[in-house]
Structures are given as structure tokens and as C-alpha cells.
Amino acid sequence: AQSVAQPEDQVNVAEGNPLTVKCTYSVSGNPYLFWYVQYPNRGLQFLLKYITGDNLVKGSYGFEAEFNKSQTSFHLKKPSALVSDSALYFCAVRDVNTDKLIFGTGTRLQVFP
Amino acid sequence: DAGVIQSPRHEVTEMGQEVTLRCKPISGHNSLFWYRQTMMRGLELLIYFNNNVPIDDSGMPEDRFSAKMPNASFSTLKIQPSEPRDSAVYFCASSLRTGVNEKLFFGSGTQLSVL
């Protein structure tokens, strides 16, 4: 079965510093990977996706993610964090057999001024 | 576009009562998904529709839960009778079509509290 794991419940980073939110995946076949962000009292918003092609994927709000096949990882990154980036981040994988989007448990990002 | 619209935003009810959650997907989207979010279980897919037809309801927890999509612009998720363990945030999402490449657009959710 397809799955993703987010090993960190929370990540704390100072404003202006680079941030990384980790995600590893387990799939049979080609991975179709996504990152979503959830702000308080809001639904999830799409950030970026990896389907095929370049291993570095650029998305919304200055975020990017690096696909690493050998490490089965898809970490979310941003060179310089903003306080407004504080939110809950979800990694997800598309199950090609059922077409379902399977979410990880989420990582809370806290950016301190 | 107004995005995916869910109502109500908050629902407080007593155990045993019927609860109906509503969703209006983005116009032109052919796929609709119902998710439930709790602290303990995270985001769970309950059911999804393609072209108004239920495709997979394996995530529906019990027979107390039912979902319908009578037309392309409206869906309901009903819980009858409701129980305290049903308390959660329920999200509706839509996408243009099914497929591994498609991103989902989520509504703001319905916060359900069953007392």
C-alpha cells in the first residue's frame, strides 16, 4: 500500500533561517507526491507536486521540495522562513490503484520572530 | 470562483441526533471527496465521487454514515444517529478530474461537536 511518513510532529525555526519539513514515502511503482498547507481554521491548500521530471520542484509562497529516489524522501524546503509560514504541513501520495490521496500525519511549523 | 463551499461552519448537536453536512464543489469539477480530520487519526478519506457516482466508500466508518451527490453542484454527508466519537472537522474537496496529476481544492470545513 502507498503511504507517507512525516517523522516530526513539530518543527521550530527562526524567521529568516532556512526550513525543512521532512517526508518519506513508500510506494509500489512511480510516486506521485504532494505537499499541502493548512492555516488555522482553514482547509488544506495545495503547495506543490512531483509527478516526474526534475527532482527539485518549486511551488507556492517560495516553497520547494526535493525528490530523492534513493532515500525515498520528498522534503519540503524554503530558503528563508517567514512568521506567516507558521501552519500545519501535510505530505501526501496518490495511490495509482485507487486514485486516493493519502495524507501523512502532518507537521506543525512554528516560525519565531 | 468562490472555491469549495461547506455549510455549516460549526455544528453542535446532541448524541443521537441526525447531522447533515453540505458541500458545493467548484463549478466544473468532476470529482468530490469527503475527509475527516481528528487529532488522533489525522486526515481520513471517507468517500469520493466521480461524475456524481460514488467510487469508493471504504473509508466510511459505519452504516451511520451516508453520503449523496444528487447533482454536480451539491453533496451531503449525513450521520444518523450521531455519537460523541464523531466529533471532528469534516472537509469536502473537489478536483477537476480524477488522475494522479490532479490537485484537490478544499473547503474550510465543518467543525462538528457531538455532546
Side-chain angles (χ1 to χ4, degrees):
Chain A
Q2 324 277 33
S3 66
V4 289
Q6 294 182 245
E8 302 157 316
D9 290 336
Q10 179 151 335
V11 170
N12 299 317
V13 64
E15 188 174 32
N17 282 2
L19 69 87
T20 299
V21 182
K22 295 179 180 178
C23 173
T24 58
Y25 65 88
S26 174
V27 303
S28 54
N30 295 323
Y32 300 94
L33 300 162
F34 299 76
W35 276 102
Y36 283 78
V37 60
Q38 185 180 25
Y39 297 102
N41 302 313
R42 302 291 297 276
L44 279 70
Q45 296 178 33
F46 170 82
L47 274 180
L48 51 80
K49 65 182 176 183
Y50 173 83
I51 305 300
T52 187
D54 289 341
N55 290 341
L56 187 64
V57 180
K58 294 190 181 299
S60 307
Y61 313 123
F63 283 91
E64 57 190 26
E66 186 173 8
F67 173 72
N68 188 317
K69 188 173 183 178
S70 63
Q71 297 185 5
T72 62
S73 67
F74 189 55
H75 300 332
L76 182 70
K77 300 182 178 184
K78 188 173 183 180
S80 178
L82 300 173
V83 173
S84 58
D85 292 331
S86 299
L88 192 56
Y89 290 82
F90 290 92
C91 182
V93 63
R94 204 71 180 246
D95 187 322
V96 297
N97 296 314
T98 65
D99 211 28
K100 296 179 183 179
L101 194 61
I102 311 298
F103 287 92
T105 51
T107 298
R108 187 165 300 282
L109 174 66
Q110 191 72 45
V111 181
F112 295 94
Chain B
D1 198 319
V4 177
I5 299 174
Q6 291 187 247
S7 64
R9 286 299 305 272
H10 303 276
E11 177 78 36
V12 180
T13 190
E14 292 187 347
M15 183 174 66
Q17 296 297 308
E18 178 179 297
V19 175
T20 299
L21 311 181
R22 297 173 176 79
C23 175
K24 176 178 168 55
I26 292 173
S27 178
H29 281 193
N30 294 327
S31 297
L32 184 139
F33 305 79
W34 282 101
Y35 282 87
R36 178 172 68 176
Q37 185 179 35
T38 60
M39 288 291 291
M40 292 297 294
R41 302 172 70 93
L43 269 167
E44 304 172 274
L45 176 63
L46 301 178
I47 184 171
Y48 79 94
F49 296 82
N50 189 36
N51 292 324
N52 313 337
V53 176
I55 302 300
D56 188 331
D57 65 354
S58 60
M60 297 285 261
E62 301 171 34
D63 291 345
R64 298 185 296 107
F65 286 69
S66 63
K68 294 182 179 180
M69 192 165 186
N71 56 63
S73 59
F74 184 66
S75 177
T76 59
L77 178 68
K78 185 177 294 186
I79 308 173
Q80 166 64 18
S82 58
E83 296 183 3
R85 58 193 170 122
D86 301 331
S87 299
V89 181
Y90 290 81
F91 288 104
C92 175
S94 70
S95 67
L96 189 60
R97 62 183 69 85
T98 56
V100 295
N101 198 33
E102 293 301 318
K103 62 184 182 183
L104 269 59
F105 293 81
F106 282 78
S108 296
T110 295
Q111 174 81 57
L112 173 65
S113 298
V114 183
L115 306 177

